Amino acid sequence: MENRLIQVRQKLKDNNIDAILITKRQNYMYLSGFTGTSAHLLISAEKAYLITDFRYIEQATRQAPLFEVVKYQGNIEIEIKKLLEELFVKKLGFEADHLTYDKYLCYKEKFENTELVPQKDFVESLRIIKSDDEIEKIKKAVEIADRAFEHILNYIKPGIKENEIAAELEYFMKKNGAQGPSFETIVASGTRSAMPHGVASEKVIQYGDIVTLDYGAIYEGYCSDITRTIFVGYAQDKLKEIYEIVLNAQLKALKGAFEGKTGREIDSIAREIITKEGYGNNFGHGLGHGVGLEIHEEPRLSVSGEKVMKNGMVVTVEPGIYIEGLGGVRIEDMIVINNDKPQILTKAPKEMIIVG
Ligand SMILES: [Mn+2]
């Protein structure tokens, strides 16, 4: 945490601002350790304040020892303004992609002696490389999701609803240490699996269905993300064929994911394989994304992924093929970028599985 504050203060200098106001939850969690749902951080070269209300004073004092906890009552702007004046802040950075327009206007009016300077990716640029401690937490989140997959294989059979499968996955993960699911659980069966983000519905699993499961756990604030596609009863030939193509593309992309490559270069490994097999138009999303305190964060592995991979980045590799009226296949692992081979965090099996 101390190191993170040092980095923030360096960025204050680099960006020519006197202080930064942090309002996005994942960012104040990352910088302060405070996990509650309401806080503002005000960080200058000398001072670090965490401003919150009555409900969180005890928790904030305990979780954020590097910050002076300031309580506000009524309007938080009054408290922030007081601190800005004490610190002689002339230029205040704010998170442009988080502060609402309404709040911006309010600040502009109330902080009349301070210039508001929009900042982009101020904390996100620090979060993009994970520390060993963060990777340990992510590993736990991945492990919980892996175990949930093993568990759910015995649960899926004809007659069960997608919603029941989603509930069972989430229940299992919570019972095994997760704070909750990292996003709305996707269970897409039969022709619904052609929808890449088909969240669980009331549809009942049929004999012969293909089922895509895409879900994850949160552990100590950190997310995991896994996708597996399985078959119930038997596998249709066409779906079997696309399963093998997706798996091959995924394995090759994993091999090519290492430090120095851009997100686009890794994406193109899988995209070329899928395109060569004639399914290029059926792979309409990016290959992967960063994962951390947020389920989707930088860097992106996609046709527009300019960022260069660095050691300690955590990303997903998740090619898919979707055919309307038939079904879809996606296989997703999480990895840590290394010099050569990535460290593959997801351990759930990837060979074709037929249940029920
Ligand atoms: Mn994903």
Side-chain angles (χ1 to χ4, degrees):
M1 292 288 171
E2 253 179 89
N3 193 34
R4 292 172 189 176
L5 269 182
I6 292 169
Q7 288 178 295
V8 164
R9 287 178 169 137
Q10 185 57 47
K11 289 205 81 159
L12 293 179
K13 269 193 214 158
D14 296 345
N15 298 3
N16 191 29
I17 50 178
D18 304 315
I20 177 104
L21 186 70
I22 302 291
T23 50
K24 184 167 159 180
R25 184 169 179 224
Q26 286 88 359
N27 290 342
Y28 70 64
M29 274 171 66
Y30 181 79
L31 294 177
S32 73
F34 175 64
T35 61
T37 52
S38 176
H40 287 51
L41 303 182
L42 180 65
I43 304 169
S44 73
E46 257 89 56
K47 294 281 190 178
Y49 294 107
L50 187 158
I51 309 143
T52 188
D53 64 76
F54 171 79
R55 297 169 296 166
Y56 293 112
I57 300 301
E58 185 188 334
Q59 184 185 349
T61 308
R62 196 160 18 88
Q63 290 183 324
L66 297 178
F67 284 73
E68 276 179 53
V69 176
V70 176
K71 185 170 94 173
Y72 78 91
Q73 261 168 325
N75 289 333
I76 191 165
E77 297 81 37
I78 297 169
E79 205 54 55
I80 296 171
K81 188 186 160 123
K82 223 166 72 188
L83 295 171
L84 291 174
E85 281 168 4
E86 274 174 34
L87 297 173
F88 302 106
V89 173
K90 291 268 164 284
K91 288 182 172 182
L92 175 67
F94 68 94
E95 296 180 288
D97 67 352
H98 189 255
L99 195 74
T100 63
Y101 183 62
D102 223 34
K103 270 280 173 198
Y104 172 78
L105 290 181
C106 165
Y107 288 173
K108 223 175 132 178
E109 189 198 323
K110 298 239 163 80
F111 311 158
E112 66 268 11
N113 298 320
T114 305
E115 183 192 339
L116 293 168
V117 188
Q119 302 291 312
K120 246 192 98 71
D121 296 333
F122 192 93
V123 184
E124 285 82 354
S125 62
L126 309 177
R127 282 173 38 201
I128 195 167
I129 307 277
K130 272 65 181 177
S131 67
D132 291 346
D133 179 56
E134 289 181 287
I135 289 172
E136 282 312 306
K137 288 173 182 166
I138 291 170
K139 273 186 185 165
K140 273 296 280 201
V142 171
E143 198 189 302
I144 293 167
D146 274 345
R147 289 175 56 198
F149 180 67
E150 206 185 304
H151 171 76
I152 212 70
L153 289 177
N154 297 314
Y155 183 85
I156 298 175
K157 50 179 165 302
I160 294 232
K161 287 179 190 166
E162 290 175 356
N163 274 335
E164 291 177 272
I165 296 169
E168 184 66 22
L169 277 171
E170 292 174 17
Y171 177 72
F172 181 92
M173 291 194 293
K174 269 200 124 164
K175 287 251 282 192
N176 286 277
Q179 288 165 272
S182 52
F183 58 93
E184 196 174 356
T185 297
I186 291 169
V187 179
S189 64
T191 54
R192 288 191 79 247
S193 63
M195 298 189 290
H197 271 196
V199 295
S201 75
E202 285 293 288
K203 183 188 167 295
V204 174
I205 303 293
Q206 311 286 326
Y207 185 78
D209 269 356
I210 187 167
V211 185
T212 299
L213 307 161
D214 184 354
Y215 61 95
I218 304 178
Y219 180 79
E220 291 197 18
Y222 286 84
C223 298
S224 63
D225 193 0
I226 176 177
T227 306
R228 288 293 182 268
T229 303
I230 62 161
F231 296 88
V232 180
Y234 71 98
Q236 298 179 44
D237 287 344
K238 183 85 174 165
L239 291 171
K240 235 193 243 178
E241 178 201 321
I242 68 172
Y243 191 95
E244 291 308 327
I245 296 166
V246 170
L247 181 57
N248 180 40
Q250 208 254 0
L251 294 172
K252 297 272 161 56
L254 285 173
K255 266 199 189 142
F258 46 80
E259 167 153 72
K261 292 250 187 125
T262 64
R264 186 200 289 120
E265 285 169 330
I266 301 168
D267 176 276
S268 77
I269 299 171
R271 202 163 296 282
E272 270 170 28
I273 292 169
I274 289 173
T275 303
K276 230 157 97 196
E277 298 286 351
Y279 294 104
N281 292 329
N282 303 88
F283 175 26
H285 57 75
L287 180 68
H289 53 87
V291 185
L293 290 168
E294 284 175 276
I295 186 65
H296 295 127
E297 53 182 56
E298 292 296 324
R300 308 283 162 171
L301 275 53
S302 72
V303 285
S304 56
E306 304 289 343
K307 289 212 164 78
V308 174
M309 296 301 119
K310 293 207 176 101
N311 284 350
M313 286 182 174
V314 173
V315 297
T316 68
V317 175
E318 49 177 311
I321 295 176
Y322 312 90
I323 301 170
E324 205 183 321
L326 178 69
V329 173
R330 180 169 65 258
I331 302 170
E332 172 182 35
D333 287 338
M334 278 174 64
I335 64 172
V336 185
I337 297 292
N338 277 327
N339 290 328
D340 39 35
K341 294 207 294 272
Q343 183 185 1
I344 299 172
L345 302 179
T346 310
K347 304 278 190 260
K350 286 189 283 198
E351 69 273 11
M352 206 167 27
I353 294 175
I354 298 176
V355 300

